[in-house]
Amino acid sequence: MVLSMVRYGLLSPKKTVNYHEEMNAAKFEDWFSKIIDKLEENSVVVMDNAPYHSRKTDKIPTSKWKKVIIQQWLRARVNEIAERKNVTILRLPPYHCELNPIEMIWAQVKNYVAARNSTFKFCDMVRLFTEAINVVTPEN
């Protein structure tokens, strides 16, 4: 996802990039709108609870609104994009990274890169990242 976002110009290839600091709802929605067209209909996208995955689209809720209505309100924008392609968004509950298997793979990839990164140059990081992805197996 990160390299895709760099490719689409949504993130910059900084030396110490933390894409969560650069990302916002507008950038995410732009990227998601481009990626969604590449998915087959009836796909399921599993999404964590990063703040930029949900944007407020209507009037601001008040303390009188029920929690479930506020949650629906926050999810509406990304869901609208997905519905255009008949794609389902499956949202993980907050603070349950063990339900998101990509987190274990992401940790493996980051550890591989960190153990071998001696130059801290973007081009070297991309090479190490590619190597790390290539050593991921279905068993992982």
Side-chain angles (χ1 to χ4, degrees):
M1 180 170 98
V2 175
L3 289 179
S4 173
M5 290 178 169
V6 169
R7 184 177 301 119
Y8 280 107
L10 299 175
L11 298 178
S12 63
K14 293 181 181 177
K15 186 178 356 177
T16 59
V17 71
N18 176 350
Y19 66 93
H20 291 290
E21 292 172 0
E22 285 191 53
M23 187 52 58
N24 61 42
K27 287 181 180 181
F28 176 76
E29 290 165 10
D30 182 51
W31 173 81
F32 190 65
S33 294
K34 292 172 183 166
I35 295 301
I36 199 91
D37 291 333
K38 299 180 185 314
L39 299 177
E40 294 180 18
E41 284 201 16
N42 299 312
S43 294
V44 175
V45 174
V46 178
M47 205 171 286
D48 66 14
N49 290 286
Y52 47 81
H53 289 162
S54 302
R55 187 205 318 220
K56 307 168 195 107
T57 57
D58 297 323
K59 60 183 179 177
I60 298 173
T62 68
S63 59
K64 295 178 184 178
W65 287 31
K66 293 187 178 190
K67 181 179 178 180
V68 70
I69 301 299
I70 294 172
Q71 289 171 330
Q72 292 169 351
W73 176 79
L74 289 170
R75 295 181 182 122
R77 178 68 177 118
V78 170
N79 290 358
E80 287 172 17
I81 295 169
E83 285 172 7
R84 283 187 235 143
K85 186 72 176 186
N86 200 23
V87 170
T88 301
I89 301 293
L90 175 62
R91 295 182 187 273
L92 299 174
Y95 312 110
H96 289 286
C97 60
E98 72 277 5
L99 298 176
N100 190 355
I102 193 66
E103 294 295 338
M104 292 184 285
I105 299 303
W106 185 235
Q108 176 185 335
V109 169
K110 289 193 308 186
N111 288 337
Y112 183 99
V113 172
R116 293 162 179 80
N117 190 3
S118 59
T119 66
F120 301 98
K121 293 180 181 175
F122 183 75
C123 60
D124 292 335
M125 190 278 306
V126 170
R127 179 183 50 78
L128 289 169
F129 178 79
T130 302
E131 288 175 16
I133 292 296
N134 288 330
V135 298
V136 173
T137 65
E139 290 77 25
N140 296 132

